Amino acid sequence: QLQLVESGGGLVQPGGSLRLSCAASGFTLDYYAIGWFRQAPGKEREGVSCISSFNGNTYFADSVKGRITISRDNAKNTVYLQMNSLKPEDTAVYYCTAHFEVITTTPKPAEALYDYWGQGTQVTVSS
């Protein structure tokens, strides 16, 4: 079974940092684009960051650009989302998603593209 497991969420003060991890099993991460989405209560789910297969291209939402980086460690079959200078509005459940692609393309934060979803990890930014 193809699985994605998120970890690294928690409570952090404004201005703090967290690193979220997305560990994949049952498939080779190289051939999958990874997308991070988040959803806060009462709000639509939004794309935060994406990375194409083979680490070719990245995407960042304007709201997090400059504060978040995405990377992958293919040896560990894991993708990381490093979040710095966190704000209360970053509070949400963060989901790791994946979709297969043969050719690296410009990543898009479109939910319909992503076939596999993790269970999510809670990030709370509060003093």
Side-chain angles (χ1 to χ4, degrees):
Q1 294 290 326
L2 306 182
Q3 297 184 50
L4 298 170
V5 180
E6 304 98 330
S7 63
L11 175 64
V12 64
Q13 295 184 358
S17 299
L18 286 173
R19 189 181 73 162
L20 306 184
S21 299
C22 176
S25 63
F27 62 96
T28 301
L29 191 61
D30 281 357
Y31 297 94
Y32 287 81
I34 301 295
W36 285 94
F37 293 80
R38 67 184 182 187
Q39 186 167 26
K43 296 183 178 180
E44 294 184 13
R45 191 156 52 212
E46 63 175 340
V48 178
S49 182
C50 309
I51 185 166
S52 296
S53 62
F54 308 101
N55 203 30
N57 299 288
T58 58
Y59 162 87
F60 299 97
D62 289 340
S63 60
V64 302
K65 196 171 298 182
R67 301 189 294 116
I68 290 182
T69 58
I70 188 169
S71 62
R72 61 198 305 160
D73 185 341
N74 291 329
K76 296 182 178 180
N77 226 24
T78 300
V79 170
Y80 302 99
L81 189 72
Q82 178 67 46
M83 304 190 296
N84 303 315
S85 302
L86 286 165
K87 304 175 181 179
E89 50 263 44
D90 294 317
T91 297
V93 177
Y94 285 71
Y95 297 92
C96 177
T97 67
H99 76 85
F100 178 83
E101 62 177 14
V102 176
I103 302 173
T104 297
T105 63
T106 301
K108 298 178 175 63
E111 293 185 20
L113 295 175
Y114 295 89
D115 303 307
Y116 306 101
W117 289 69
Q119 295 300 307
T121 184
Q122 176 72 49
V123 172
T124 302
V125 184
S126 176
S127 60

